[in-house]
């Protein structure tokens, strides 16, 4: 008998039929004697609908009231699933975040979980009930409803699993696991049986949207055994996210390829090559809450240098405007940009122990005539910024070059 937390995403509870299917799956585990805690998202599209509704009333709604509105989607699904379980003769009780007492800070729309009181849940489990908890929401010290940011139900699931010391946290979604890359781009992409937390964090932050990144951080920190599975398949082990690399297996050098289309590049030309220039350029950009990703400062000549960086495409116009505003002040000759960039990253803990990974990546792209405009690396990833029109090609050739088409031996 195990204590299992299962989290079901919006598509898995998208209509009454699917909610009944979730109930059947939960009933199966329950019948095997497991104690079950279920965390739900709102029905797919519901949170977007609620946000749009709020915006029709107020273009800039008060974050507190926005959370009151957008937290309702999950209240609907938990009630419905509990009813479906009761219809099958299984005792079930639903809880909103506040009812569990998932205590958060008061940063409405992006609150962080501070503490979870698991007493109600344990009492119900001991009485043989299935506990159904609303994802994505909590309550602050003053009793205000808060939400955890888009995709936050994953974080609820993992945080609950940590709080009640569950044996496993299973995230049921519309894909059957974590893939080497997006199968829509590379049909040969393979499902991974395991991936390390570190790799998963890189994949998530680089645009692979299987799990909310905070849930992965949380699971790594509290050593929650985390598994991603499909709610539309009866069988399948999904992908297990592991703390340690499996020492028994020959690790592939690269585990996956992540990419992001929505990048843009900005270059500040001919700035004086002197201390403080990076700060003068990026300070105002950061003050405007624009995230900067890759950064390059070239070697100076004649006392001036060029400085380039990437931003998310939606922030491009804002960033350009800010820089044009400070151009005279920092003494830049010109501001240039390209709003159609993409980022491709190879990720793998194996690259720590294998030299030559970067050169293989660069050679592969060179052979296709793909120009690398920027490069950034960490211990377990190498990212390049390229023209967006070569994105698919780049991902495909890299997938093949690193042997990801074939199952590891
Ligand atoms: N319903 C929320 C959202 O759409 C939370 C979640 O599904 O994880 O972002
Ligand atoms: Mg989700």
């Amino acid at each position: 008998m195990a204590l299992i937390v299962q989290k079901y995403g919006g598509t898995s509870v998208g209509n009454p039929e699917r909610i009944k299917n979730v109930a059947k799956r939960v009933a199966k585990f329950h019948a095997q004697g497991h104690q079950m805690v279920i965390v739900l998202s709102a029905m797919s599209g519901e949170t977007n609908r609620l946000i749009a509704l709020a915006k029709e009333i107020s273009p800039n709604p008060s974050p507190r009231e926005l959370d009151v509105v957008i937290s309702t989607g999950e209240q609907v699904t938990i009630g419905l699933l509990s009813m479906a379980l009761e219809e099958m003769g299984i005792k079930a009780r639903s809880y909103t975040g506040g009812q569990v007492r998932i205590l958060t800070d008061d940063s409405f729309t992006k609150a962080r979980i501070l503490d979870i009181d698991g007493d109600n849940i344990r009492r119900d489990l001991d009485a043989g009930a299935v506990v159904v908890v609303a994802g994505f929401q909590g309550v602050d010290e003053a009793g205000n409803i808060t939400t955890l940011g888009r995709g936050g139900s994953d974080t609820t699931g993992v945080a609950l699993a940590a709080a009640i010391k569950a044996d496993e946290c299973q995230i049921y979604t519309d894909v059957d696991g974590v893939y080497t890359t997006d199968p829509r781009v590379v049909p040969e992409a393979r499902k991974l049986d395991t991936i390390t937390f570190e790799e998963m964090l890189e994949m998530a932050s680089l645009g692979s949207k299987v799990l909310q990144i905070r849930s992965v951080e949380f699971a790594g920190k509290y050593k929650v055994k985390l598994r991603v599975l499909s709610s539309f398949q009866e069988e399948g082990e999904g992908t297990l996210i592991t703390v340690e690399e499996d020492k028994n297996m020959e690790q592939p050098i690269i585990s996956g390829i992540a990419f992001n289309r929505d990048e843009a590049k900005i270059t500040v030309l001919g700035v004086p090559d002197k201390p403080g220039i990076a700060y003068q350029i990026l300070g105002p950009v950061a003050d405007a809450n624009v995230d900067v990703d890759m950064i390059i400062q070239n070697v100076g000549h004649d006392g001036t240098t060029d400085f380039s960086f990437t931003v998310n495409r939606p922030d491009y116009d804002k960033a350009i405007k800010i820089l044009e505003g400070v151009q005279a002040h920092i003494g830049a000759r010109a501001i240039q940009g390209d709003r159609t960039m993409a980022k491709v990253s190879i990720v793998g803990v194996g690259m720590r122990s294998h030299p030559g990974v970067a050169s293989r990546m660069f050679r592969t792209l060179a052979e296709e005539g793909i120009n690398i405009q920027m490069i950034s690396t960490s211990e377990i990833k190498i990212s390049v910024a390229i023209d967006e029109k070569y994105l698919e090609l780049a991902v495909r050739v890299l997938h093949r070059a690193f042997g990801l088409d074939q199952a590891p031996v």
Side-chain angles (χ1 to χ4, degrees):
M1 189 195 87
L3 173 53
I4 300 172
V5 173
Q6 294 186 334
K7 179 262 168 178
Y8 291 90
T11 43
S12 310
V13 294
N15 59 44
E17 208 51 50
R18 289 183 174 179
I19 291 176
K20 288 180 194 167
N21 281 335
V22 169
K24 279 188 208 144
R25 185 184 299 264
V26 173
K28 200 177 80 191
F29 280 85
H30 185 72
Q32 289 163 359
H34 300 304
Q35 292 192 312
M36 302 301 294
V37 177
I38 313 303
V39 175
L40 298 184
S41 287
M43 290 181 173
S44 51
E46 179 63 7
T47 309
N48 288 341
R49 187 186 74 84
L50 292 166
I51 291 171
L53 198 57
K55 299 245 150 116
E56 268 183 53
I57 301 286
S58 162
N60 238 327
S62 133
R64 181 187 185 277
E65 302 316 325
L66 187 59
D67 275 355
V68 168
V69 173
I70 67 177
S71 61
T72 58
E74 275 75 10
Q75 187 169 334
V76 172
T77 50
I78 57 169
L80 293 174
L81 179 66
S82 300
M83 288 176 203
L85 287 163
E86 297 270 353
E87 281 295 325
M88 300 174 73
I90 295 168
K91 210 153 47 150
R93 274 173 77 91
S94 66
Y95 287 92
T96 64
Q99 287 174 318
V100 173
R101 204 141 191 278
I102 296 177
L103 183 69
T104 71
D105 63 18
D106 60 4
S107 326
F108 296 108
T109 73
K110 48 177 187 299
R112 291 199 162 255
I113 297 176
L114 300 175
D115 186 44
I116 296 182
D117 180 348
D119 286 355
N120 287 336
I121 294 178
R122 273 189 214 95
R123 203 186 48 235
D124 286 344
L125 289 174
D126 289 342
V130 171
V131 176
V132 184
V133 178
F136 178 54
Q137 55 178 264
V139 68
D140 72 5
E141 199 72 69
N144 299 301
I145 295 171
T146 56
T147 65
L148 309 180
R150 298 308 306 273
S153 298
D154 294 339
T155 299
T156 306
V158 174
L160 259 179
I164 62 174
K165 302 197 166 47
D167 295 296
E168 185 163 313
C169 180
Q170 304 175 340
I171 308 275
Y172 286 88
T173 176
D174 47 5
V175 294
D176 61 350
V178 180
Y179 275 70
T180 49
T181 195
D182 188 337
R184 283 168 300 190
V185 172
V186 182
E188 293 80 21
R190 280 181 311 103
K191 181 178 80 66
L192 296 162
D193 293 334
T194 64
I195 184 169
T196 69
F197 276 107
E198 285 174 289
E199 290 169 332
M200 193 62 214
L201 274 178
E202 291 283 6
M203 295 287 276
S205 67
L206 295 169
S208 162
K209 293 185 186 61
V210 186
L211 288 174
Q212 195 202 31
I213 186 158
R214 269 170 62 194
S215 71
V216 184
E217 284 166 4
F218 217 103
K221 188 161 159 202
Y222 294 97
K223 308 260 182 295
V224 174
K225 193 171 165 198
L226 188 60
R227 192 185 288 279
V228 178
L229 313 110
S230 164
S231 60
F232 300 114
Q233 288 180 6
E234 271 307 313
E235 305 293 324
E237 297 288 295
T239 300
L240 181 67
I241 300 158
T242 59
V243 180
E244 282 273 298
E245 308 148 44
D246 189 341
K247 294 280 185 309
N248 303 319
M249 271 202 310
E250 177 67 28
Q251 279 296 310
I253 301 172
I254 298 304
S255 293
I257 300 177
F259 56 85
N260 191 7
R261 292 172 203 283
D262 288 334
E263 305 271 335
K265 181 172 90 166
I266 296 174
T267 301
V268 186
L269 290 162
V271 289
D273 191 7
K274 60 171 197 213
I277 200 67
Y279 172 66
Q280 281 180 39
I281 293 170
L282 295 180
V285 176
D287 289 344
N289 256 323
V290 172
D291 274 338
V292 170
D293 185 17
M294 297 182 184
I295 301 171
I296 289 184
Q297 182 177 341
N298 290 328
V299 179
H301 40 85
D302 310 332
T304 69
T305 186
D306 301 339
F307 190 95
S308 301
F309 57 95
T310 60
V311 296
N312 295 321
R313 196 172 304 161
D315 287 334
Y316 176 78
D317 291 329
K318 190 168 154 189
I320 289 279
K321 208 179 261 148
I322 291 166
L323 289 169
E324 283 169 353
V326 296
Q327 180 180 352
H329 173 69
I330 57 183
R333 182 159 45 81
I335 317 275
Q336 280 179 354
D338 181 348
R339 67 163 78 237
T340 53
M341 301 287 297
K343 181 166 73 167
V344 179
S345 310
I346 58 175
V347 176
V349 291
M351 71 174 75
R352 280 195 189 118
S353 49
H354 287 83
V357 175
S359 69
R360 195 197 302 187
M361 180 186 200
F362 303 155
R363 187 183 66 218
T364 305
L365 296 174
E367 281 166 1
E368 297 295 332
I370 299 171
N371 188 30
I372 300 170
Q373 303 195 25
M374 285 198 208
I375 301 168
S376 79
T377 64
S378 80
E379 229 195 332
I380 64 161
K381 104 168 170 211
I382 303 168
S383 301
V384 295
I386 60 174
D387 192 322
E388 190 194 7
K389 66 174 181 266
Y390 298 120
L391 174 64
E392 271 90 359
L393 176 63
V395 174
R396 270 203 314 274
V397 294
L398 289 170
H399 197 265
R400 200 172 319 125
F402 284 98
L404 294 175
D405 301 9
Q406 274 114 43
V409 278

